[in-house]
Amino acid sequence: MPTPLTRFKRLLFGRPLPSDRLEHERLNKKTALAVLSSDAISSVAYATDQILFVVGGAIGAAAIGYVAPISAVIVGLLLLVGISYSQTIHAYPNGGGSYTVAKENLGVGPGLVAAAALLTDYILTVAVSISSGVAAITSAYHLLVPHTVALCVASIILLTMVNLRGVRESGAVFSVPTYAFIAMMIALIGLGGYHAWLGDLPKIALETPKTDPHAMQRLGGVTGFALFYLLLRGFAEGCSAMTGTEAISNGIQAFKQPSQRNARITLGWMVGILAVFFLGVSYLAHHYGAMPLADQTVLSLLGHRIFGNSLAYYGLQYATFAVLVLAANTAFADFPRLAGILARDNYMPRQFLARGDRLAFSNGIITLGLVALLLVIVFHGDTTRLVPLYALGVFVCFTLSQAGMVVHWLRSRDRGWRWRAALNGLGAVATAIVSIVQVVTKFTEGGWIVVVIIPVIIYLLRRIHRHYEHFVREVAYTGQSPLMFLHHTVIVPVNGITKPTAGALVYATTISEDVRAVYVEVEPKTADDLLRKWNEWDIGVELTVVPSPFRSILRPLVDYVNDLIERGEADLVTIVVPEIVPRTWWGHLLHNKTSLFIRTSFLFRPNVVVTAIPYLVGRSARLRDLMAHDEFLEETAEQPVAR
Amino acid sequence: MPTPLTRFKRLLFGRPLPSDRLEHERLNKKTALAVLSSDAISSVAYATDQILFVVGGAIGAAAIGYVAPISAVIVGLLLLVGISYSQTIHAYPNGGGSYTVAKENLGVGPGLVAAAALLTDYILTVAVSISSGVAAITSAYHLLVPHTVALCVASIILLTMVNLRGVRESGAVFSVPTYAFIAMMIALIGLGGYHAWLGDLPKIALETPKTDPHAMQRLGGVTGFALFYLLLRGFAEGCSAMTGTEAISNGIQAFKQPSQRNARITLGWMVGILAVFFLGVSYLAHHYGAMPLADQTVLSLLGHRIFGNSLAYYGLQYATFAVLVLAANTAFADFPRLAGILARDNYMPRQFLARGDRLAFSNGIITLGLVALLLVIVFHGDTTRLVPLYALGVFVCFTLSQAGMVVHWLRSRDRGWRWRAALNGLGAVATAIVSIVQVVTKFTEGGWIVVVIIPVIIYLLRRIHRHYEHFVREVAYTGQSPLMFLHHTVIVPVNGITKPTAGALVYATTISEDVRAVYVEVEPKTADDLLRKWNEWDIGVELTVVPSPFRSILRPLVDYVNDLIERGEADLVTIVVPEIVPRTWWGHLLHNKTSLFIRTSFLFRPNVVVTAIPYLVGRSARLRDLMAHDEFLEETAEQPVAR
């Protein structure tokens, strides 16, 4: 019979699933594209905004002139990284995550750097995608702007719950948002480009451009170097477009056979779509003069101009929200999986290894949800404040992963290893440079948080690893059979002739022949009365009275047990304590937790075991069964009583 | 060897005291007056202020004219109650607290009303005395005014700690503040009266009188009835002067023989001193026009005017602070004592019955300290906001106590019972009327809080009593010897051949002949390897593998145990679980709390006992002793191994 709590849990999270359901449904290319590329493709919803925000903050509307070239450079980098990753697909048919590739080829240290960078990256994927998705909604419905944080929080809680249920339905359902977004983006870029060619749509009037308070100089005052640095910062922020590129190379096993070929083709499609969309949006922003506003994203501005206030505009906004939620959802699959791998390698607590009833890594999902919640609350769900923390980790992973591939080719000397190594090497150098650009340009904007946190995470991973290593070494048992004869004395602390005491005595006499009842006399002169009643009871267990001049129950008991062991009367002592289990929460306030205190007193004492015999107040079933309703007693009274 | 924690505790609270130190040192009249009357006498530090504050708030400086008559009425009432209480001393030589007197003579219901009123009264004694004492200090040092709450909090924490130490030093030390205050007050009233007679000191200039925001009408607009009601309110607030009058009749046992006579004489002195001081202060306030200010008490204003800015002024303020702290301290003796009596009568949790190492009722002291802290924080340590809650409870107790005495005389028919009953009856009627005045006039000023809380406390006391009554009835054991033979099966959940497992197996084979090791196979196909190793180990305990298709460790174990019992293979099952006890707090985050979960799973299951065998990480002493360093094993290997 499921308890009410179990029933509630099932209602929320569904029935438990057996382990054999763990096998994947394999995806065809179309579905795989939808599932694995939502993170990458959805970046176009915020990447162009970030460039314009940073550059425009310093030089105003003139920034529009720089967005297309910066985007072109990023797309070039994207193509290079894309080709580089298709090598990884070739080399790691089981899926080569940055952690695995870096650890196998470069060693544990770089592997842990990759792991730490990935963990922060996944968390930021959730925070950035959700806040950007919510921005898509608030751009369409200005009334919702004050509720931004609440909307972000609700979305993350919902995602966490859905993932605790375990997202088995994946494939088909997940294709909808991605393809809806792709369709809307094609419509936007197509129609927008057509109108641009016709030149029949006016530019967007600049109302109140969102400005960067840290750099208020205008174009006139910007020197050559400062402009270069500014564009570099814009470039660094725009690189957030590339996040998620590695997803396909991690997920090869999800593809139908031939999985490597299918994965490579899908990666090509993904890079192509992302490149076109990103360039398209940046070009349209340039052409229509779309500077992001405090309450309007570039996509929303373009949609409004190109589609008008039509259904198509709202369709674009909803599709953007949906694809960004899907992108956040991929982190809910990746973070717990990586945490599980790290836990298996003893770098994270074992709790991350346990799959829940629904086959999901529950602890990983909850951890990710909580940290992401914290981030959106601290940063008020503001994408522009979250993005500087993002991408840095991603580029560190790109670099380590590709550097690992270089080593891989040098070692394996597979066919074509030279040009493959060269290609991965080129990618590694490029992304390494971008990593440095990221650190330098974003450091003061929040990037320092990531620079501080990654080493902290690495330190923690190493500490945890050391702990488990010590532990495994310590508990390993290599001796012979340890069984031996021990003289076992059982002590039952007694405070009266009650049912809980009787239950404890039954148990005590079952587990040993040497049972001693002990009364600690806290209130002076109370022992005589009890001794008299005890002797009348005549159960064959002697009652020892221990005085307690300091009114402590514990100290005399501890001394008594120590004496017993020191005098050699017992090798092993069990203290059997009746434990009152109240029916209600407030019942706990009314009964002394003596059994707990006794347990704690002996926790560090060798050869002493404390056993609590629960007595359920108001539900004496346990006791009734264990010992003594009177009819039963009368039946057994004739039999020889075992002691 | 005391642990560092024990040593720290001793440093703060002193060495434990044996129970026989509990006997009182008996006090002579002078010391008893100091110890028992601080609460009553110290009231003059705030009672006059309250009258002037309430009346002056409505009619301004004209209030000065009414303070002396109101004070005179209160003093009349005080004399009546004083005489009434000297009857209680006569009838209850062991000390008659209101709870005892009301319960014995009027029944349980009125007894609980008195108890609830007393409990709230003690809490308010602390809050009012401390905030008034701090006001004496801030009146002298205006710089400290913003730190009022902090000073109150610090004082209460200090008092709590001192009382946890147990205040054995009482007598002599405690006389100092009371007699210092008495001396300063005599000087103030004497010198003030002398100057008033000479007429050589000017009135105090009214700066910014503290006004009552609820009644801003000025004298002109006050009708006859409104004025009467106003004076009634002033009277009700002034009655706070009478709090503490019952202390001596409660503490008869503290007096040297003949204790009743000594107590009666001391009561007379106390009432006399209080009456003189209260009338004196009110007269001086009237003469010098001392209206209380937001940052100056009446005593401070008078002291300044009469002593000038001299040492005597500061002496008065310090003495006032000291006597008020002492007054608060009496509540720290009374509240835990009453809580202890109520706990003994099963009306409060048993935890209040336990005396700590230093013979103090620790739980009562801590409870009082915490609630008083809450009060001063919520009311910002403002005496004028706290006093409306005060006195109401006191007068309810006066009434019940005296009504109880009437019944006592009617029953006992002792010598002079008629006039004694009449006197107590007169007192009871008078205080009953004042109680009603208190409720009516203070209700909107915060009095309602007390009106609500007293019934809530009574309800709780009754609920607690019912719980304990049920409990005692339920656990009472009246049957024969419960000992019987039970087939005892021990189950050891196993997850590998480790030292903790070996320790658990040693224990299991010691307590039963029927031991079964059980492996729950969460990860499929992991059992074969373990089974092979287990058979190699060859310890004579069979390993049962239980599959877990839902990856739960608990459910298969529960099912296995249920099966065992249902098939009749076991009457009693003990599950022996190795429990990892980490060395550090963060170690707890790295190890699954399996033993705790197992314990919880079986808590409500009859005939199943869960025993945890602690394994101390990094301190394997327990295990080393319990079982197996290899040399020991080799020694015992030749002996027949008990199973």
Side-chain angles (χ1 to χ4, degrees):
Chain A
M1 257 277 298
T3 65
L5 188 71
T6 310
R7 262 187 249 158
F8 180 67
K9 199 176 141 199
R10 285 204 185 149
L11 182 72
L12 277 182
F13 304 120
R15 303 198 147 264
L17 294 172
S19 295
D20 49 24
R21 288 278 299 275
L22 197 59
E23 292 302 311
H24 292 292
E25 43 164 337
R26 293 276 177 149
L27 307 175
N28 62 27
K29 291 197 287 290
K30 273 206 291 279
T31 329
L33 181 69
V35 172
L36 295 172
S37 66
S38 59
D39 184 10
I41 294 179
S42 65
S43 323
V44 300
Y46 48 82
T48 306
D49 292 62
Q50 299 314 313
I51 304 174
L52 283 169
F53 169 67
V54 168
V55 184
I59 62 174
I64 288 285
Y66 296 100
V67 67
I70 290 176
S71 300
V73 174
I74 292 171
V75 166
L77 193 63
L78 171 68
L79 294 177
L80 181 62
V81 171
I83 294 167
S84 193
Y85 265 102
S86 79
Q87 312 291 327
T88 309
I89 295 176
H90 181 81
Y92 284 87
N94 294 324
S98 302
Y99 168 64
T100 317
V101 174
K103 195 177 151 213
E104 276 188 17
N105 296 300
L106 304 175
V108 170
L112 292 182
V113 175
L118 277 174
L119 291 174
T120 52
D121 175 35
Y122 292 141
I123 293 164
L124 284 160
T125 299
V126 176
V128 168
S129 300
I130 289 296
S131 55
S132 175
V134 167
I137 296 297
T138 55
S139 294
Y141 303 100
H142 280 54
L143 275 177
L144 293 175
V145 170
H147 308 293
T148 302
V149 175
L151 288 170
C152 290
V153 166
S155 306
I156 291 173
I157 289 174
L158 206 73
L159 261 183
T160 307
M161 280 178 49
V162 166
N163 276 281
L164 285 176
R165 246 192 106 93
V167 196
R168 286 312 101 187
E169 295 72 24
S170 45
V173 179
F174 280 15
S175 303
V176 177
T178 309
Y179 282 108
F181 182 68
I182 290 177
M184 293 312 304
M185 286 300 292
I186 290 173
L188 181 80
I189 295 169
L191 197 64
Y194 175 69
H195 282 297
W197 181 64
L198 290 180
D200 60 350
L201 282 178
K203 292 213 171 209
I204 296 164
L206 270 179
E207 299 164 42
T208 47
K210 204 172 177 183
T211 49
D212 181 351
H214 297 288
M216 288 298 290
Q217 357 43 330
R218 294 275 149 226
L219 190 55
V222 176
T223 66
F225 178 76
L227 182 64
F228 173 73
Y229 181 77
L230 187 65
L231 298 181
L232 217 54
R233 267 191 67 204
F235 164 77
E237 299 289 8
C239 280
S240 56
M242 287 176 64
T243 55
T245 314
E246 76 291 356
I248 287 177
S249 72
N250 289 352
I252 306 172
Q253 281 193 306
F255 283 85
K256 281 206 171 128
Q257 291 299 344
S259 56
Q260 281 170 281
R261 186 169 169 274
N262 287 337
R264 258 208 318 281
I265 293 170
T266 311
L267 176 62
W269 273 103
M270 182 184 85
V271 170
I273 292 171
L274 176 55
V276 169
F277 285 2
F278 185 44
L279 282 177
V281 170
S282 292
Y283 167 73
L284 292 179
H286 168 75
H287 181 84
Y288 291 103
M291 289 291 287
L293 307 177
D295 55 3
Q296 286 266 43
T297 63
V298 167
L299 270 194
S300 167
L301 288 167
L302 291 175
H304 233 293
R305 177 54 33 114
I306 292 161
F307 294 139
N309 198 13
S310 66
L311 253 177
Y313 166 72
Y314 288 98
L316 173 68
Q317 295 309 106
Y318 281 114
T320 308
F321 174 72
V323 79
L324 281 162
V325 169
L326 195 56
N329 191 66
T330 59
F332 273 97
D334 293 340
F335 181 94
R337 198 199 301 133
L338 177 60
I341 293 172
L342 288 167
R344 180 156 314 170
D345 290 355
N346 286 333
Y347 284 106
M348 276 183 77
R350 294 214 175 136
Q351 285 87 333
F352 286 103
L353 203 50
R355 282 177 182 272
D357 285 344
R358 298 275 302 177
L359 293 172
F361 291 107
S362 315
N363 290 320
I365 291 168
I366 292 168
T367 306
L368 174 64
L370 288 179
V371 181
L373 270 184
L374 188 74
L375 273 182
V376 298
I377 292 170
V378 168
F379 288 92
H380 302 105
D382 185 349
T383 317
T384 51
R385 290 177 61 194
L386 282 162
V387 166
L389 281 69
Y390 202 27
L392 174 50
V394 179
F395 275 84
V396 169
C397 288
F398 284 164
T399 310
L400 288 170
S401 172
Q402 292 176 111
M405 288 308 298
V406 173
V407 173
H408 173 87
W409 298 124
L410 292 180
R411 281 190 192 150
S412 74
R413 313 239 160 180
D414 277 350
R415 201 165 56 84
W417 65 272
R418 278 175 225 272
W419 67 266
R420 286 182 195 276
L423 238 167
N424 281 132
L426 187 63
V429 170
T431 52
I433 293 170
V434 176
S435 300
I436 294 166
V437 170
Q438 298 268 352
V439 173
V440 172
T441 60
K442 293 174 167 185
F443 194 84
T444 53
E445 311 301 307
W448 65 269
I449 299 174
V450 179
V451 173
V452 168
I453 272 184
I454 287 180
V456 169
I457 294 177
I458 294 168
Y459 171 76
L460 288 177
L461 297 177
R462 282 190 181 282
R463 273 308 291 269
I464 291 168
H465 191 70
R466 214 165 68 205
H467 174 87
Y468 282 129
E469 272 191 331
H470 281 294
F471 180 72
V472 168
R473 229 178 292 138
E474 188 186 330
V475 299
Y477 186 76
T478 49
Q480 296 165 261
S481 159
L483 305 193
M484 68 194 81
F485 180 79
L486 297 167
H487 183 84
H488 181 210
T489 305
V490 178
I491 296 188
V492 182
V494 153
N495 65 352
I497 299 175
T498 61
K499 286 178 193 162
T501 303
L505 284 167
V506 172
Y507 184 78
T509 49
T510 305
I511 65 170
S512 176
E513 319 243 309
D514 180 4
V515 176
R516 302 165 190 211
V518 172
Y519 177 67
V520 179
E521 194 183 24
V522 175
E523 293 284 314
K525 293 160 208 150
T526 50
D528 297 344
D529 187 44
L530 180 61
L531 267 173
R532 195 177 41 71
K533 283 193 198 147
W534 190 271
N535 292 333
E536 278 170 24
W537 200 21
D538 185 28
I539 54 161
V541 175
E542 211 183 307
L543 179 66
T544 310
V545 175
V546 181
S548 172
F550 294 95
R551 295 160 315 286
S552 161
I553 296 213
L554 296 178
R555 210 173 313 176
L557 200 63
V558 172
D559 293 345
Y560 180 81
V561 171
N562 287 348
D563 267 16
L564 221 76
I565 296 174
E566 273 161 30
R567 285 206 311 270
E569 284 184 40
D571 303 322
L572 174 65
V573 173
T574 299
I575 301 170
V576 174
V577 198
E579 180 185 27
I580 307 299
V581 181
R583 216 173 346 177
T584 54
W585 65 265
W586 53 267
H588 288 274
L589 302 174
L590 302 181
H591 295 278
N592 293 317
K593 296 268 157 282
T594 314
S595 71
L596 185 70
F597 289 132
I598 292 179
R599 210 175 124 59
T600 313
S601 303
F602 288 103
L603 192 58
F604 298 103
R605 168 85 219 168
N607 299 355
V608 178
V609 172
V610 177
T611 297
I613 308 295
Y615 177 84
L616 309 178
V617 177
R619 279 177 288 187
S620 45
R622 168 183 289 267
L623 191 81
R624 216 184 313 122
D625 293 10
L626 191 66
M627 30 155 305
H629 36 162
D630 292 337
E631 311 91 68
F632 179 69
L633 261 184
E634 277 158 30
E635 273 174 47
T636 52
E638 284 113 57
Q639 301 174 17
V641 167
R643 278 196 41 247
Chain B
M1 256 277 297
T3 64
L5 188 71
T6 309
R7 261 188 250 157
F8 179 68
K9 200 176 141 198
R10 284 203 185 149
L11 182 72
L12 277 184
F13 303 120
R15 302 198 148 265
L17 293 172
S19 295
D20 49 24
R21 288 280 299 276
L22 197 58
E23 294 301 311
H24 292 291
E25 44 166 336
R26 295 272 178 153
L27 308 174
N28 63 27
K29 291 197 286 291
K30 273 206 293 280
T31 328
L33 181 68
V35 173
L36 295 172
S37 66
S38 59
D39 183 10
I41 293 178
S42 66
S43 324
V44 300
Y46 48 82
T48 306
D49 292 60
Q50 299 315 312
I51 303 174
L52 284 168
F53 168 67
V54 167
V55 184
I59 61 174
I64 288 286
Y66 295 101
V67 67
I70 291 176
S71 301
V73 175
I74 292 170
V75 165
L77 193 64
L78 171 68
L79 295 177
L80 181 62
V81 171
I83 294 167
S84 192
Y85 264 102
S86 80
Q87 311 292 328
T88 309
I89 295 175
H90 181 83
Y92 284 87
N94 294 323
S98 301
Y99 167 65
T100 316
V101 174
K103 194 178 151 210
E104 276 187 16
N105 296 300
L106 304 175
V108 170
L112 291 182
V113 175
L118 277 173
L119 291 175
T120 53
D121 175 35
Y122 292 141
I123 293 164
L124 284 161
T125 299
V126 176
V128 169
S129 300
I130 289 296
S131 54
S132 175
V134 167
I137 296 298
T138 55
S139 294
Y141 303 100
H142 282 52
L143 274 177
L144 293 175
V145 170
H147 307 293
T148 302
V149 175
L151 288 170
C152 290
V153 167
S155 306
I156 291 174
I157 289 174
L158 206 73
L159 261 183
T160 307
M161 280 179 47
V162 167
N163 276 282
L164 285 175
R165 246 192 106 94
V167 196
R168 286 311 102 187
E169 298 76 11
S170 45
V173 180
F174 280 16
S175 304
V176 178
T178 309
Y179 282 108
F181 181 68
I182 290 177
M184 292 313 303
M185 285 301 292
I186 290 173
L188 181 79
I189 294 170
L191 197 64
Y194 174 68
H195 281 297
W197 181 65
L198 290 181
D200 60 351
L201 281 177
K203 293 213 171 213
I204 296 163
L206 271 178
E207 298 164 43
T208 47
K210 206 172 176 184
T211 49
D212 181 351
H214 297 289
M216 288 298 291
Q217 341 70 310
R218 294 277 149 227
L219 191 54
V222 176
T223 66
F225 176 76
L227 182 64
F228 172 72
Y229 181 77
L230 188 65
L231 298 181
L232 216 55
R233 269 191 66 204
F235 164 76
E237 299 290 7
C239 279
S240 57
M242 288 174 65
T243 56
T245 313
E246 75 291 355
I248 287 177
S249 71
N250 290 352
I252 307 173
Q253 281 193 308
F255 284 86
K256 281 205 172 130
Q257 292 297 346
S259 55
Q260 281 172 281
R261 185 169 171 273
N262 287 338
R264 258 208 319 279
I265 293 171
T266 312
L267 177 62
W269 274 103
M270 181 183 85
V271 169
I273 293 171
L274 176 55
V276 170
F277 284 3
F278 185 45
L279 282 177
V281 171
S282 292
Y283 167 74
L284 292 179
H286 168 76
H287 182 83
Y288 291 104
M291 288 292 287
L293 308 176
D295 55 2
Q296 286 265 43
T297 64
V298 167
L299 270 193
S300 168
L301 286 168
L302 292 175
H304 232 294
R305 177 55 32 114
I306 293 161
F307 294 140
N309 198 14
S310 66
L311 253 178
Y313 166 72
Y314 289 97
L316 174 67
Q317 296 308 106
Y318 281 114
T320 308
F321 174 73
V323 79
L324 281 163
V325 169
L326 195 55
N329 191 66
T330 59
F332 273 96
D334 293 340
F335 180 95
R337 199 200 301 133
L338 178 60
I341 293 172
L342 288 168
R344 180 157 314 172
D345 290 355
N346 285 334
Y347 286 105
M348 275 184 75
R350 291 210 177 140
Q351 285 86 332
F352 286 103
L353 203 50
R355 281 177 183 273
D357 285 344
R358 298 275 302 177
L359 293 172
F361 291 107
S362 316
N363 289 321
I365 291 168
I366 292 167
T367 307
L368 175 64
L370 288 179
V371 182
L373 271 184
L374 188 73
L375 273 182
V376 298
I377 291 169
V378 168
F379 289 92
H380 301 107
D382 184 349
T383 317
T384 51
R385 291 177 61 193
L386 282 162
V387 166
L389 282 69
Y390 202 27
L392 173 50
V394 179
F395 275 84
V396 170
C397 288
F398 284 163
T399 309
L400 287 170
S401 173
Q402 292 176 107
M405 287 308 297
V406 173
V407 174
H408 173 87
W409 298 124
L410 293 181
R411 280 191 193 149
S412 75
R413 313 237 158 179
D414 276 351
R415 199 166 57 85
W417 65 272
R418 278 175 226 269
W419 67 265
R420 288 183 194 273
L423 238 167
N424 281 133
L426 187 63
V429 170
T431 51
I433 293 170
V434 176
S435 299
I436 294 166
V437 170
Q438 298 268 354
V439 172
V440 172
T441 60
K442 293 174 170 184
F443 194 84
T444 54
E445 310 302 306
W448 66 270
I449 299 174
V450 179
V451 173
V452 168
I453 272 183
I454 288 181
V456 169
I457 294 177
I458 293 169
Y459 171 77
L460 288 177
L461 297 178
R462 283 191 180 281
R463 271 309 291 268
I464 291 168
H465 191 69
R466 214 165 67 204
H467 174 88
Y468 282 129
E469 273 192 331
H470 281 295
F471 180 73
V472 167
R473 232 179 290 138
E474 187 185 331
V475 299
Y477 186 78
T478 50
Q480 296 166 261
S481 158
L483 305 192
M484 69 195 82
F485 181 78
L486 297 167
H487 184 83
H488 183 210
T489 305
V490 178
I491 295 185
V492 182
V494 152
N495 65 352
I497 298 175
T498 61
K499 286 178 193 163
T501 302
L505 284 167
V506 172
Y507 184 78
T509 49
T510 305
I511 66 170
S512 176
E513 320 243 309
D514 180 5
V515 176
R516 302 165 191 210
V518 174
Y519 176 67
V520 180
E521 193 184 24
V522 174
E523 293 282 314
K525 294 160 208 150
T526 50
D528 297 345
D529 187 45
L530 180 62
L531 267 173
R532 194 177 42 71
K533 283 193 199 146
W534 191 271
N535 291 333
E536 278 170 24
W537 201 20
D538 186 28
I539 54 162
V541 173
E542 211 183 305
L543 180 66
T544 309
V545 175
V546 181
S548 172
F550 294 95
R551 294 160 316 285
S552 162
I553 297 214
L554 296 177
R555 209 173 313 174
L557 200 62
V558 172
D559 292 346
Y560 180 81
V561 171
N562 286 349
D563 267 16
L564 260 179
I565 295 175
E566 274 162 28
R567 284 205 312 269
E569 283 183 40
D571 303 322
L572 174 64
V573 173
T574 300
I575 301 169
V576 174
V577 199
E579 180 184 27
I580 306 300
V581 181
R583 216 174 345 175
T584 52
W585 64 266
W586 52 268
H588 287 275
L589 302 175
L590 302 182
H591 295 278
N592 294 316
K593 295 269 157 280
T594 313
S595 71
L596 185 69
F597 289 133
I598 292 179
R599 210 176 125 59
T600 314
S601 303
F602 288 102
L603 192 58
F604 298 104
R605 167 85 220 171
N607 299 356
V608 178
V609 171
V610 178
T611 297
I613 309 295
Y615 177 84
L616 309 178
V617 178
R619 281 176 287 186
S620 45
R622 167 182 288 268
L623 191 80
R624 216 184 313 121
D625 291 12
L626 191 65
M627 30 153 307
H629 35 161
D630 293 334
E631 312 90 70
F632 180 67
L633 261 185
E634 277 157 31
E635 273 174 50
T636 52
E638 284 114 57
Q639 301 174 14
V641 167
R643 280 198 40 245

